[in-house]
Amino acid sequence: MIDITMPRLSDTMEEGTIARWHKQPGDPVAVGDVLVEIETDKATMDYEAYEAGTLAEILVPEGEVAVIGAPIARLDNGRATTSAVGDGATAAVSPEAAPADVGVTEVPLVAESRATSLAPVETTEEAERRIASPLVRRLAREHGLDLRHVRGSGPGGRIIRADLDELLAVAVAEADAQKGPAMPLASGPLLDAKRGSEAVPFNNVRRVIARRLGESARTVPHFFATAVADAEALVRLRGELNEQLLATGRPKVSVNDLLIRACALALREHPTVNASYVSDASTSMLVHHRINIGVAVASVNGLVVPVVPDADLKTVSQLSAETKQLATQAGTKGLSLEQMSGGTFTISNLGMYGVEEFTAIINPPEGAILAVGATKREPVAVGEQVELRHRMRYTLSADHRIIDGALAAEFLQTLTRLLESPLSLIV
């Protein structure tokens, strides 16, 4: 008898939702059979059996959520011993579902339920540092946590962020109690008849968005720099390009396609913007030699960020075709983990909604994100005359630990130059 545990199917996954069981208790299971569909923060994946036997018990029913490493079912393989499989069993996931190697990604092999995470574990100071991730050690320092009493659920007993949830909740509650009573946020309960309130449950994607972006806003020192480009030549060039493309039966390109190309070329000139902060314990940052641009897409399932790999090596037409395909797949939640992994920089464009200017939250582990507003005609002084010209505003949100103000300004200066001289984007 073996326990089948919730696997880690993406680099940002901390829990998964059981979408559908393909096998029921008593059903025979062969190696490679699809046992269950698991909904992650990025996609719905098939989970395949790596060992033959009979499905003995389903522990997590459809629609329920389980953290990584928690048992979700039991398989009778004809042996008396019991072992937990899942996160570390790479053969249990189809090759198509395996996430690409995106650099520094912690993928723990979880073999125990979170229920045992607070069992006392004796360890020396040296062992404590060895088995705790840098983020865990920082949180322990900030909240005065004793890691000797935490059982890690990562590889070799490594303590990961999820193992601290209960201790952190206690530490925060104690800190709040010391501050005294807080001013109430509202008069009365939030869910009441006067407001006509309705509790609408989060889907798995929204839960992960809330957690990750909240953590990004709290832990990453954001700073923002805004620039504006004269987009008159860009709009004119796009019009001419689309006339030629339509004449030859090819699809049109958008301003966003040209913007992706411009950002890719600007990142090539300023490679340290195309970088990631590792941890407070690290003495170096990661500079990425490939320019993989994520494009934020709003879908019925929530915000997703498909990634265009090697964007600096592709033409505007290639970028246009690829982003259209990714946006279509995002609408049906048909994106694979490969298509949403490995981003080094993100563009969030709300111009199509008429938004002129906004700031965006960085998508870790990336070091920056560009928030793009609408391209609108404005009165502009040109010499001694006033003309109506297209203008575009964009704001760079940067991680101040690796990108300082001067570097951000230089990147925006290069981006503006490329957008105002758009022939450089297509030659």
Side-chain angles (χ1 to χ4, degrees):
M1 190 79 68
I2 61 174
D3 283 348
I4 300 171
T5 62
M6 177 62 71
R8 183 187 292 273
L9 298 177
S10 76
D11 53 335
T12 59
M13 178 181 173
E14 294 185 6
E15 61 184 22
T17 302
I18 303 298
R20 177 189 173 195
W21 282 102
H22 285 262
K23 298 288 186 180
Q24 296 299 320
D27 289 350
V29 176
V31 175
D33 281 355
V34 176
L35 288 175
V36 61
E37 293 178 16
I38 297 174
E39 180 184 352
T40 73
D41 57 318
K42 292 183 175 179
T44 300
M45 313 297 298
D46 289 340
Y47 183 82
E48 297 180 357
Y50 82 101
E51 189 166 345
T54 301
L55 188 63
E57 183 180 3
I58 289 177
L59 302 176
V60 181
E62 294 179 358
E64 295 295 320
V65 178
V67 298
I68 292 173
I72 59 175
R74 290 193 174 96
L75 181 72
D76 185 354
N77 61 351
R79 304 192 188 102
T81 57
T82 300
S83 60
V85 299
D87 200 25
T90 56
V93 185
S94 61
E96 295 81 13
D101 182 5
V102 294
V104 178
T105 302
E106 186 176 285
V107 185
L109 308 177
V110 180
E112 299 187 48
S113 168
R114 283 282 316 283
T116 63
S117 63
L118 296 181
V121 177
E122 293 298 326
T123 178
T124 64
E125 182 178 350
E126 180 180 353
E128 179 182 313
R129 292 189 58 82
R130 176 176 57 80
I131 66 171
S133 70
L135 174 59
V136 166
R137 292 199 297 271
R138 179 170 62 81
L139 291 173
R141 289 195 302 270
E142 292 175 352
H143 296 276
L145 305 180
D146 188 352
L147 297 184
R148 292 174 298 176
H149 298 287
V150 178
R151 181 179 297 278
S153 60
R158 182 180 175 88
I159 302 172
I160 60 175
R161 169 62 180 82
D163 297 323
L164 297 184
D165 284 350
E166 295 178 46
L167 280 179
L168 282 175
V170 172
V172 171
E174 291 176 350
D176 290 341
Q178 293 175 359
K179 295 177 183 177
M183 180 177 291
L185 296 178
S187 57
L190 290 178
L191 183 64
D192 63 6
K194 185 175 182 179
R195 293 186 176 90
S197 309
E198 176 190 2
V200 179
F202 283 164
N203 60 27
N204 197 48
V205 173
R206 175 52 56 188
R207 281 198 304 272
V208 173
I209 290 172
R211 182 175 62 247
R212 283 179 54 78
L213 293 188
E215 185 173 343
S216 175
R218 289 190 299 270
T219 62
V220 177
H222 288 61
F223 83 95
F224 310 98
T226 301
V228 57
D230 185 325
E232 192 69 24
L234 184 75
V235 172
R236 190 182 309 116
L237 175 65
R238 177 188 173 239
E240 295 172 356
L241 281 175
N242 285 339
E243 286 182 6
Q244 298 177 23
L245 290 171
L246 288 175
T248 57
R250 291 184 290 173
K252 298 189 295 183
V253 300
S254 67
V255 170
N256 202 54
D257 300 327
L258 293 165
L259 187 67
I260 294 172
R261 172 69 175 165
C263 283
L265 295 180
L267 288 169
R268 186 189 289 175
E269 290 192 36
H270 304 280
T272 48
V273 177
N274 196 53
S276 296
Y277 180 81
V278 179
S279 72
D280 291 346
S282 177
T283 58
S284 61
M285 66 179 182
L286 290 178
V287 176
H288 309 295
H289 296 302
R290 296 179 63 183
I291 297 174
N292 303 332
I293 294 186
V295 182
V297 176
S299 71
V300 294
N301 300 302
L303 179 71
V304 293
V305 186
V307 175
V308 180
D310 301 314
D312 58 321
L313 305 179
K314 296 174 180 176
T315 66
V316 174
S317 293
Q318 289 173 324
L319 293 172
S320 177
E322 192 164 340
T323 53
K324 284 183 175 66
Q325 179 184 358
L326 291 170
T328 299
Q329 289 181 256
T332 58
K333 204 170 185 182
L335 292 168
S336 68
L337 292 176
E338 174 70 19
Q339 292 171 308
M340 292 186 288
S341 300
T344 61
F345 184 88
T346 293
I347 296 174
S348 179
N349 191 342
L350 294 181
M352 65 286 294
Y353 298 103
V355 175
E356 296 185 15
E357 184 179 342
F358 69 105
T359 58
I361 297 176
I362 295 169
N363 184 26
E366 298 167 16
I369 183 172
L370 189 74
V372 183
T375 301
K376 291 192 172 184
R377 299 186 74 194
E378 300 176 358
V380 180
V382 181
E384 298 297 323
Q385 304 295 322
V386 176
E387 299 180 7
L388 283 176
R389 299 179 69 85
H390 286 91
R391 306 261 284 178
M392 177 195 298
R393 287 177 175 78
Y394 33 84
T395 298
L396 184 73
S397 303
D399 185 340
H400 217 332
R401 295 171 298 186
I402 57 174
I403 301 172
D404 58 27
L407 177 57
E410 290 167 0
F411 171 82
L412 290 175
Q413 190 176 52
T414 299
L415 179 61
T416 301
R417 170 175 54 81
L418 290 167
L419 293 173
E420 292 184 343
S421 304
L423 280 177
S424 59
L425 304 179
I426 61 173
V427 296

